[in-house]
Amino acid sequence: MREIHVDHIIDALRSLVIKANIELGDDMLNALQDAINREESPTGREVLKNLLDNANIARQDRIPICQDTGLAVVFVEIGQEVHVIGGLIKDAINEGVRQGYKDGYLRMSTCNPFTRKNIGDNTPAVIHFDIVRGDKLKMTFVPKGGGSENMSRATMLTPASGIDGIKKFVIDLVDRAGPNPCPPTIVGVGIGGSIEKAALIAKKAILRPVGSINPDPFLARLEAEWLDDINRLGIGPEGFGGRVTSLAVHINSMPCHIASLPVAVNIQCHASRHMEVEL
Amino acid sequence: MIDRLENGVFRVETPLSTEDVKTLSAGDRVILYGVIYTARDEAHRRLVGLLQDSNDLPFELRGQVIYYVGPTPARPGRPIGSAGPTTSYRMDPYAPELIAHGLKGMIGKGRRSNAVKDAIKRYKAVYFAALGGAGALISKNILSARVIAYPELGPEAIYRMEVEGLGLVVINDIHGGDLYTDGVKEYRK
């Protein structure tokens, strides 16, 4: 067994929280740059240039890319040879989030759902654990903004709905969301599993690098086709009208019950922030 | 006060008059100067509560512009942190009441309800979009920010902000124009 002390987890996550909110990934910078070349609307091109400026200012001035520094979502992959010592791993993750949000001058955005009173330290984090092979501990931090999360949905279609039914659900959702989730977006789709699993794999889908090809050729074909349809909607950057409404559609799928067809869509805004660390 | 600049962009200075608002149409690019006030969900609920009980608001509403924003905390030596717009529809249940009491401008992002669009037409107001997700860029246009009400709400407190050259786009105007509908039509196929 390899021992990892909770203090190590706290420090690593604290740094990750701050960095992920300030530095937009290279895949997103490249995708926005490419989008400028494809966008037909002059206003849309101007918006895309501003978004790249914004990313550069954030990195240089060490200021968050977006004021919505999100609900703290943490994906943890823990090798089964790892033994966490010094405390509870969940407490360590929440402490890392607490310290990162305070020390990074990030916005505290968690609240009581009934009274709406702010919790004050952006905890609790939404943590998803997965046990994997090996002796490493990997954490992926995703500060997920409310604007794009609010436009996300999960549903249970009938098996008779088929691929066309799934496609209609996804594209209608993006159309109805319009300008609200800060386009150009990344559309994460989860198909199959159960209601909660579909939502989870949809969220995981937004983490795949933008510009990468789905290793499953069937899903890769659907992704290309649906992206093309979405970019005919005319919503454009910030919803002002234009060609580039989404930068990517990412699909994850898994087997489901013979009676069901669960579908979830997780919409990610252009401030697509996520970063990982391996201990 | 409004001036049309050579490049067709409007230079707008707060507070706004009915005459000012009449000049603007959906799709117009605007750069904003002057004092604005911030408010989000809970602050709106409280402001409308005060109006319904005929109490004074924390600031004079007439001619003012409200920015839907919850900024990140300022680092030492800076006026503000990241400060882009939040999605506006959450303020739709409250906005018509504020517009009826003299609010002239709103800054946010995303579509508004029919009730808000009707109030904009009826009472002569305007809805602007700022660039969603560009809070670092926008922070450069904020000269000062001071909490004037509800500090207990943290990022949702009401701030008095002084802005210089804040880039906006007119979404809903007094003529019923809506860029989110009209702009999209042009590129839909």
Side-chain angles (χ1 to χ4, degrees):
Chain A
M1 294 295 273
R2 177 175 168 240
E3 290 188 343
I4 298 180
H5 196 279
V6 287
D7 287 349
H8 194 22
I9 297 172
I10 295 170
D11 289 346
L13 193 56
R14 176 194 171 277
S15 306
L16 195 65
V17 162
I18 297 172
K19 208 172 165 200
N21 269 296
I22 288 173
E23 298 181 13
L24 195 62
D26 287 340
D27 62 331
M28 283 303 300
L29 296 174
N30 291 334
L32 289 170
Q33 188 65 55
D34 284 353
I36 294 175
N37 302 329
R38 268 183 294 129
E39 182 54 60
E40 293 166 21
S41 148
T43 309
R45 282 199 297 275
E46 188 69 27
V47 167
L48 293 166
K49 281 180 200 158
N50 284 331
L51 298 182
L52 279 172
D53 287 347
N54 182 66
N56 290 331
I57 290 169
R59 197 178 278 251
Q60 279 161 18
D61 291 3
R62 311 313 286 170
I63 179 173
I65 296 161
C66 176
Q67 77 292 335
D68 186 349
T69 51
L71 196 65
V73 180
V74 188
F75 289 95
V76 185
E77 284 180 20
I78 180 161
Q80 59 180 1
E81 312 295 329
V82 172
H83 179 206
V84 174
I85 58 166
L88 197 65
I89 185 169
K90 248 187 185 172
D91 294 346
I93 289 168
N94 280 314
E95 184 57 27
V97 165
R98 194 174 286 125
Q99 291 185 11
Y101 274 80
K102 181 169 173 288
D103 298 346
Y105 295 88
L106 306 178
R107 195 181 81 186
M108 307 303 180
S109 306
T110 58
C111 73
N112 178 297
F114 301 106
T115 64
R116 310 304 299 178
K117 187 173 160 31
N118 200 301
I119 306 297
D121 62 4
N122 218 49
T123 65
V126 174
I127 310 170
H128 302 290
F129 288 103
D130 200 1
I131 297 167
V132 298
R133 209 181 279 279
D135 64 354
K136 300 278 198 281
L137 190 150
K138 188 170 119 182
M139 293 184 286
T140 305
F141 172 69
V142 192
K144 187 62 162 71
S148 61
E149 194 78 347
N150 282 345
M151 296 296 113
S152 304
R153 294 286 182 275
T155 190
M156 302 300 277
L157 299 178
T158 60
S161 311
I163 295 176
D164 288 347
I166 302 171
K167 176 176 161 177
K168 187 176 183 321
F169 178 72
V170 174
I171 290 170
D172 285 354
L173 191 68
V174 174
D175 199 16
R176 273 204 312 277
N180 292 6
C182 287
T185 53
I186 291 129
V187 182
V189 186
I191 303 168
S194 50
I195 184 79
E196 86 282 9
K197 193 71 179 182
L200 185 60
I201 62 177
K203 175 147 281 157
K204 277 189 175 171
I206 64 176
L207 304 179
R208 210 179 89 208
V210 174
S212 64
I213 307 278
N214 196 315
D216 180 325
F218 172 69
L219 296 181
R221 193 161 54 79
L222 292 184
E223 288 180 358
E225 185 190 315
W226 297 359
L227 179 62
D228 193 53
D229 285 352
I230 286 170
N231 285 335
R232 288 171 197 277
L233 293 173
I235 296 165
E238 297 284 343
F240 298 155
R243 192 55 57 216
V244 185
T245 299
S246 292
L247 298 170
V249 174
H250 290 170
I251 307 175
N252 277 334
S253 95
M254 65 184 298
C256 58
H257 192 281
I258 48 173
S260 309
L261 179 50
V263 181
V265 179
N266 199 283
I267 297 188
Q268 170 62 57
C269 63
H270 60 71
S272 177
R273 296 149 291 174
H274 51 88
M275 213 171 258
E276 54 188 56
V277 66
E278 193 176 72
L279 305 180
Chain B
M1 200 174 68
I2 294 197
D3 292 310
R4 195 186 177 113
L5 305 179
E6 280 174 12
N7 53 3
V9 175
F10 290 89
R11 185 192 189 280
V12 176
E13 203 170 320
T14 63
L16 297 179
S17 67
T18 297
E19 285 309 308
D20 289 339
V21 166
K22 280 181 179 167
T23 322
L24 298 170
S25 304
D28 285 344
R29 300 262 297 274
V30 163
I31 45 170
L32 190 74
Y33 292 80
V35 170
I36 59 176
Y37 295 90
T38 74
R40 289 174 47 113
D41 310 57
E42 176 62 17
H44 270 78
R45 196 181 66 79
R46 294 187 188 189
L47 291 178
V48 168
L50 289 173
L51 286 176
Q52 283 165 354
D53 297 339
S54 304
N55 287 318
D56 286 343
L57 298 191
F59 61 96
E60 167 60 46
L61 202 55
R62 226 150 268 289
Q64 295 304 334
V65 175
I66 291 183
Y67 183 20
Y68 304 148
V69 60
T72 62
R75 279 183 186 275
R78 295 197 193 164
I80 194 78
S82 195
T86 193
T87 324
S88 306
Y89 71 88
R90 301 195 319 273
M91 272 51 80
D92 286 356
Y94 311 108
E97 185 86 15
L98 298 180
I99 296 168
H101 282 83
L103 178 70
K104 280 290 168 204
M106 295 155 285
I107 306 170
K109 64 159 171 112
R111 292 189 195 114
R112 308 310 302 263
S113 68
N114 287 333
V116 174
K117 290 187 230 178
D118 288 346
I120 285 173
K121 280 194 275 185
R122 183 167 170 201
Y123 298 104
K124 314 297 175 212
V126 60
Y127 170 52
F128 304 103
L131 278 187
L137 183 71
I138 290 171
S139 74
K140 297 274 192 192
N141 301 113
I142 300 170
L143 301 180
S144 69
R146 179 166 56 86
V147 174
I148 58 154
Y150 315 137
E152 67 279 11
L153 295 181
E156 303 202 64
I158 294 184
Y159 288 73
R160 179 186 186 276
M161 276 184 181
E162 208 182 334
V163 300
E164 184 181 73
L166 178 62
L168 306 171
V169 176
V170 176
I171 302 294
N172 294 109
D173 61 31
I174 59 161
H175 316 290
D178 184 345
L179 183 67
Y180 289 140
T181 309
D182 309 338
V184 168
K185 263 185 207 150
E186 205 176 319
Y187 293 93
R188 203 173 177 99
K189 62 180 183 190

